Amino acid sequence: MFRTCDVTGLRVHRPAEALIKANAVAAVVSLAIGGVYAILVALSRWPAVHLLNGPAYYRVLTGHGLNMLLFWIIFFEVAGLYFGGAVLLNSRLAAPALGWLAFALMVAGAGLVNVMILQGKADVLMTSYYPLRGDPLYYLGVILFAVGALVACGLFFATLFIARKERTYGEGSVPLAVYGLAVAAIIAVVTLLHGAAIYVPTFLWSLGLIGQLDASLYRILWWAMGHSSQQINVAAMVSVWYMLGALTVGATPVNEKICRTAFLLYALFIMVASAHHLLVDPALSPAWKIWNTGYVMHLAILASMIHAMSVIAAVERAQRVRGYARGLFEWLARGPWRNPGFSALALSVVGFGFLGGISGVTYGTEQINIVRHNTLAIPGHFHGTVVAGTTLAFMGLTYYVLPLIFRRQVVLPGLARLQPWVFGLGTYGLAAFLMLAGGYGIPRRHSDIAFGGMPFAPAFDPTATMWLSLAELFGLISVVGGVMYVLVTVGSVFFGAPVGAPAQVTFPVSPPAEPVPGLVAAATAGSAAAAERGG
């Protein structure tokens, strides 16, 4: 039931490997579907083109949001949970049959949601605010997907218990990346339970089985799921940062205790950031709003600042140990920039930290949020976090998942090296120019910023139209980067040469620069310890 990875020495549980492959493929398919919707959204928002209007625009916007923000990322995160729980810990997966049940539920849910959207029965946007009503099968699809993800989280925790009991990873704590994934899974459980608390009654309402819902309660519970689901992404993304640092340059954290403390801050405080979506709701007191947006939220911000400095410091130390120690920045200049895993790591850290992070801190405060929340500045912010941050990090990790799990060399390596730069440049521009357009008051959800045919159409400054046009142009560049990613991944899975030795890996795994337990070193030690006990 196990094989030994020729590259890292990890013991890979074959049932876990099959589930990682299945969820990774579903993630890429969801990304491709969301990318098609992204093209239509960009061409509709571009004032000079304005491809779609009215219901058709909201239909593609709904499809884009659900496929990108939920299906692509959560499928990939479930694959990451199996990778961290089983592979990195040299453990067997607790119950593979449950893993396939979870996968079936998630695929059925995602498929049902997409069918309802294409049929025009769910033009309610991702938030589907009550009293907007979608088809009951739309709500059922979301529920099925959420239940499948909950089962996957439970399987991950059970696998951690087995690894701990059998000491498959050696003595001491689990690797930092696995610790971060555990935090992401904890946040996911809380998030998905809130989703059930609101989607189940909404499903029953759509069937006519219960009467009216409370609109304020709907918004509160929905954002406890909707915004918190992006906090799953943050914890998972940071875990991927540590993985990529270890894989690309052998980086190990300068102080793991501080990093683990930062992850703990995520678990305790990061979900309160959903408050910035609720600042105009009369159901919540001003004291609650000020406390969440002005004080508690900054404990989660502190965690992100710790991780950003820790990842960069770990890479710098690894590079200096290897001899790149002249001046302040030789370690950076001599980084493996031709490795898409490393360039994706660097672009993800910068994109999330500056575009997404700084804008999030700004727009999350009560006073500024009031004048920015319903403008394009907010989509600009979360394209900086979820796309320039999380999605780019996941793309970088894929270039190691392909040889280590799919056991295929990366095809079109030149295209792979260029892909993070094209996707990163496009997303950076999209996020920045959307925020600039939002500064002129352009609404975030309206299908026609010119308000054609309206008797009292607002007149926006021509500069706003320029920023919006540039945003959609860079959005199309981002789509090109996404197409490059899909081509490389699909081509590698079907046409990549088999990986049989470390020398055949297109982008090699770097050993730790010094004898500090890191991702590869700790896993290899755990594999040896498990072998001594008879596996």
Side-chain angles (χ1 to χ4, degrees):
M1 298 294 286
F2 287 86
R3 69 172 178 86
T4 300
C5 178
D6 299 319
V7 180
T8 63
L10 292 164
R11 288 173 63 235
V12 181
H13 191 219
R14 292 185 184 277
E17 182 179 51
L19 281 165
I20 293 170
K21 291 179 179 179
N23 282 277
V25 169
V28 173
V29 170
S30 300
L31 179 69
I33 295 172
V36 173
Y37 283 126
I39 296 173
L40 299 175
V41 170
L43 292 178
S44 300
R45 276 185 176 158
W46 197 335
V49 180
H50 196 54
L51 180 65
L52 300 174
N53 200 355
Y57 169 76
Y58 294 112
R59 190 166 304 155
V60 299
L61 189 58
T62 303
H64 174 64
L66 286 164
N67 281 281
M68 292 302 210
L69 289 171
L70 285 185
F71 303 150
W72 140 250
I73 287 183
I74 293 182
F75 269 122
F76 198 97
E77 286 167 348
V78 168
L81 291 180
Y82 296 147
F83 181 75
V87 178
L88 293 184
L89 298 183
N90 298 285
S91 175
R92 59 185 172 87
L93 196 65
L98 279 180
W100 287 112
L101 173 63
F103 179 73
L105 289 171
M106 292 172 69
V107 169
L112 198 55
V113 168
N114 275 291
V115 169
M116 291 299 102
I117 292 172
L118 289 174
Q119 290 183 355
K121 297 180 179 179
D123 299 340
V124 293
L125 297 184
M126 181 178 169
T127 51
S128 51
Y129 282 149
Y130 176 85
L132 294 177
R133 188 193 297 262
D135 190 278
L137 291 179
Y138 163 74
Y139 299 108
L140 178 62
V142 176
I143 292 170
L144 290 175
F145 184 84
V147 171
L150 268 175
V151 173
C153 290
L155 184 55
F156 169 73
F157 290 127
T159 303
L160 287 186
F161 177 79
I162 290 174
R164 181 76 174 179
K165 182 179 179 180
E166 299 178 358
R167 289 293 179 181
T168 58
Y169 55 89
E171 299 300 323
S173 301
V174 297
L176 180 62
V178 180
Y179 186 90
L181 289 173
V183 170
I186 291 170
I187 297 173
V189 170
V190 177
T191 298
L192 293 169
L193 289 176
H194 279 96
I198 192 56
Y199 267 106
V200 170
T202 306
F203 170 61
L204 297 176
W205 165 75
S206 70
L207 289 171
L209 298 178
I210 62 175
Q212 293 183 347
L213 301 177
D214 185 281
S216 294
L217 181 61
Y218 179 97
R219 284 172 57 84
I220 292 169
L221 289 177
W222 194 94
W223 280 112
M225 179 207 69
H227 196 280
S228 300
S229 65
Q230 310 318 313
Q231 316 314 333
I232 308 170
N233 306 339
V234 172
M237 173 193 69
V238 173
S239 299
V240 169
W241 285 354
Y242 287 115
M243 288 188 205
L244 287 175
L247 291 167
T248 56
V249 297
T252 53
V254 176
N255 190 317
E256 274 207 16
K257 290 183 179 180
I258 291 179
C259 299
R260 291 173 191 265
T261 301
F263 274 121
L264 183 60
L265 290 175
Y266 276 158
L268 294 175
F269 300 110
I270 197 168
M271 288 186 285
V272 301
S274 59
H276 83 88
H277 294 282
L278 304 168
L279 293 181
V280 297
D281 281 45
L284 301 172
S285 69
W288 183 90
K289 297 172 184 178
I290 294 171
W291 174 255
N292 281 275
T293 59
Y295 297 97
V296 181
M297 182 180 72
H298 289 84
L299 292 172
I301 294 166
L302 173 63
S304 291
M305 294 174 66
I306 290 172
H307 285 307
M309 291 186 288
S310 177
V311 170
I312 296 171
V315 171
E316 178 179 358
R317 182 176 68 164
Q319 287 289 87
R320 288 185 180 277
V321 169
R322 294 181 188 281
Y324 305 127
R326 290 182 297 180
L328 291 177
F329 297 111
E330 188 191 17
W331 65 271
L332 183 61
R334 297 293 294 274
W337 291 104
R338 288 174 56 80
N339 183 336
F342 184 81
S343 59
L345 167 63
L347 291 168
S348 174
V349 170
V350 173
F352 178 85
F354 286 92
L355 282 174
I358 293 176
S359 64
V361 174
T362 304
Y363 299 152
T365 56
E366 185 178 23
Q367 297 88 341
I368 299 175
N369 182 271
I370 292 296
V371 297
R372 285 290 183 271
H373 188 75
N374 286 321
T375 73
L376 281 177
I378 298 302
H381 152 67
F382 62 68
H383 277 83
T385 55
V386 181
V387 188
T390 303
T391 294
L392 198 50
F394 288 0
M395 287 176 169
L397 185 62
T398 302
Y399 295 114
Y400 285 98
V401 172
L402 289 169
L404 300 181
I405 299 300
F406 286 88
R407 305 175 73 185
R408 295 289 178 178
Q409 295 183 47
V410 176
V411 300
L412 305 172
L415 194 66
R417 292 187 179 97
L418 187 62
Q419 184 271 324
W421 296 100
V422 175
F423 187 83
L425 172 66
T427 306
Y428 278 21
L430 172 64
F433 290 125
L434 282 177
M435 285 188 276
L436 287 170
Y440 285 84
I442 294 183
R444 63 184 286 192
R445 287 176 168 173
H446 203 281
S447 60
D448 181 13
I449 70 161
F451 291 85
M454 298 291 181
F456 301 105
F460 291 107
D461 190 297
T463 308
T465 303
M466 178 189 71
W467 294 137
L468 182 56
S469 299
L470 286 172
E472 305 312 335
L473 173 62
F474 276 87
L476 294 177
I477 295 173
S478 179
V479 170
V480 172
V483 171
M484 294 165 66
Y485 170 78
V486 173
L487 286 176
V488 171
T489 53
V490 174
S492 300
V493 169
F494 287 101
F495 305 109
V499 172
Q504 294 180 340
V505 178
T506 311
F507 305 109
V509 174
S510 179
E514 55 183 342
V516 178
L519 180 69
V520 178
T524 306
S527 178
E532 290 176 4
R533 292 191 300 270

